[in-house]
Amino acid sequence: TLAFMGMGAYLTVIDVSIPISPTQIGHIMPSSGLVQDIALAGDYAYVASAWAGLYVISIATPTAPIVVGHAPGNAVNVTVVGDYAYVAAGNDGLRVISVANPTAPIEVGIYDTPGNANGVAVAGQYAYVTAEREGFRILSIADPTAPVEVGSLFPRGDAQGVAVAGEYAYVASGYGGLSVISIANPAAPNQVGF
């Protein structure tokens, strides 16, 4: 059992098969940017590395991870679904990057969110994006190359990150704590708990 974590500018691979004795077995410094987030898909780790961009790292051999692809630009948070990486990119909004060929990731879509996009989750045909001081946005990604906003909400506090489960989005709202938002109707999200 392996865990992948960011330590400064490094992606670190840790063997946690013996929970009381985790052991570092590999690491790589993809860039001089800080590792902000990591998404795993298949034999690859997708690393959001702040201003240095999105790095695709082969973890097929966990003891010797290797950078195989790079998409320049801001990258704060990342989730990978199918052939696409959805990247919350700070003042660059939401970036959609094709990773169909992990060695040649290419930006294929962008949505200029108000504020700094700092969190993204994807479920079905929608991307859920948080943006500093600009709330929570729901984007249709039926066509990943042309994301379109379909709904928004300003939860209590300052939206910082998001996770989606079923018909609810859970938004970390800074000083506002956790906001629970019904997304059953994407065009009219509704805060149901905090």
Side-chain angles (χ1 to χ4, degrees):
T1 306
L2 300 176
F4 297 82
M5 62 185 280
M7 295 179 66
Y10 285 88
L11 169 69
T12 302
V13 185
I14 300 173
D15 182 339
V16 292
S17 56
I18 303 172
I20 61 171
S21 182
T23 306
Q24 180 178 318
I25 61 168
H27 71 278
I28 188 169
M29 185 173 85
S31 77
S32 58
L34 293 178
V35 172
Q36 299 285 308
D37 193 31
I38 303 163
L40 303 176
D43 285 336
Y44 299 98
Y46 297 85
V47 176
S49 191
W51 52 265
L54 179 72
Y55 285 83
V56 184
I57 298 174
S58 171
I59 52 173
T61 305
T63 56
I66 183 168
V67 173
V68 295
H70 174 239
N74 288 330
V76 177
N77 189 246
V78 60
T79 189
V80 176
V81 177
D83 287 340
Y84 298 98
Y86 297 87
V87 178
N91 61 5
D92 289 339
L94 176 73
R95 300 172 61 211
V96 183
I97 297 172
S98 171
V99 292
N101 177 356
T103 64
I106 183 167
E107 184 175 298
V108 294
I110 192 162
Y111 181 78
D112 188 14
T113 56
N116 291 326
N118 52 22
V120 60
V122 172
Q125 297 296 309
Y126 297 98
Y128 303 87
V129 179
T130 53
E132 186 178 350
R133 293 184 298 281
E134 292 295 337
F136 169 72
R137 310 283 168 156
I138 300 176
L139 308 178
S140 169
I141 52 170
D143 177 357
T145 66
V148 176
E149 184 173 317
V150 296
S152 64
L153 181 75
F154 287 83
R156 187 174 79 172
D158 189 11
Q160 297 292 318
V162 59
V164 171
E167 294 185 347
Y168 297 96
Y170 301 87
V171 176
S173 297
Y175 64 83
L178 179 69
S179 296
V180 182
I181 299 170
S182 170
I183 53 174
N185 178 357
N190 179 37
Q191 186 163 330
V192 296
F194 51 85

